[in-house]
Amino acid sequence: MNNYPHPIIAREGWPFLTIAIALAALATYFCGVWSTPIWIIALFVLQFFRDPARVIPQQANAVLSPADGRIVVVEKTQDPYAGREALKISVFMNVFNVHSNRAPVDGKIEQVQYFPGKFVNADLDKASTENERNALTITAANGSVVTCVQVAGLVARRILCYVKAGDSLTRGQRYGFIRFGSRVDVYLPLTATPKVVVGDKVSATETILAEF
């Protein structure tokens, strides 16, 4: 599923979209013009689950954004998943962003760690340590360790991850999905050079977060 040909609308959303359109059609049949709010909801579901194909930069030392959204953190901190000091770059996804998650680097997954937790606003720093989350520890092709963490948000209630320890990832590969507002944290070696700043808008795969 992680490499399926891009169908424009993510497969994770097909059941939700089917239900939304069916309800809107029924509302139109019984209520006519009063069904407009239901159609607006259906359009929201459609835009939330869009999943466009992306152009993958070929720069060998690039770390690509794993998600669409806005940069909320660029700092040196502790990587609790790989047990090291690291450069942390966080991408916040609101409900209007694409929520497919993609591999930031080529590499091998060494460990997958899932943690149950809270569902506070993913825009807050404490979301990284208190919210439900799923962390991939990756050994990149150049030997560096990259940690990529899916973090649930205020209304997100489902983190989907389609890879496991031992799998190989290709940069830009679709590996997961988070439903309804969330965040992705990327931990890199301290020697990495960030190419984004807080407030920047980024696109999954197409934006280079850092070089290492």
Side-chain angles (χ1 to χ4, degrees), residues 107-112 137 163-169:
K108 180 183 178 182
I109 300 173
E110 303 296 340
Q111 188 173 210
V112 178
T137 304
V163 293
K164 61 185 185 302
D167 287 351
S168 294
L169 289 174

Side-chain angles (χ1 to χ4, degrees), residues 145-167:
V145 174
V146 175
T147 307
C148 192
V149 189
Q150 297 168 290
V151 183
L154 183 64
V155 294
R157 288 297 185 271
R158 188 73 188 276
I159 292 175
L160 302 173
C161 181
Y162 306 121
V163 293
K164 61 185 185 302
D167 287 351

Side-chain angles (χ1 to χ4, degrees), residues 44-116:
F44 170 77
V45 174
L46 177 66
Q47 73 81 32
F48 180 87
F49 286 105
R50 68 194 188 282
D51 190 15
R54 298 295 169 86
V55 177
I56 304 173
Q58 296 304 306
Q59 185 177 328
N61 65 338
V63 179
L64 310 183
S65 179
D68 284 14
R70 174 173 53 89
I71 300 296
V72 292
V73 172
V74 179
E75 65 179 12
K76 293 181 180 179
T77 188
Q78 182 72 17
D79 175 357
Y81 310 99
R84 55 169 179 161
E85 288 293 314
L87 171 68
K88 177 183 177 182
I89 301 178
S90 298
V91 181
F92 171 72
M93 295 174 279
N94 64 37
V95 293
F96 297 105
N97 293 129
V98 173
H99 277 60
S100 253
N101 299 143
R102 301 164 186 266
V105 294
D106 296 326
K108 180 183 178 182
I109 300 173
E110 303 296 340
Q111 188 173 210
V112 178
Q113 304 174 71
Y114 170 78
F115 301 86

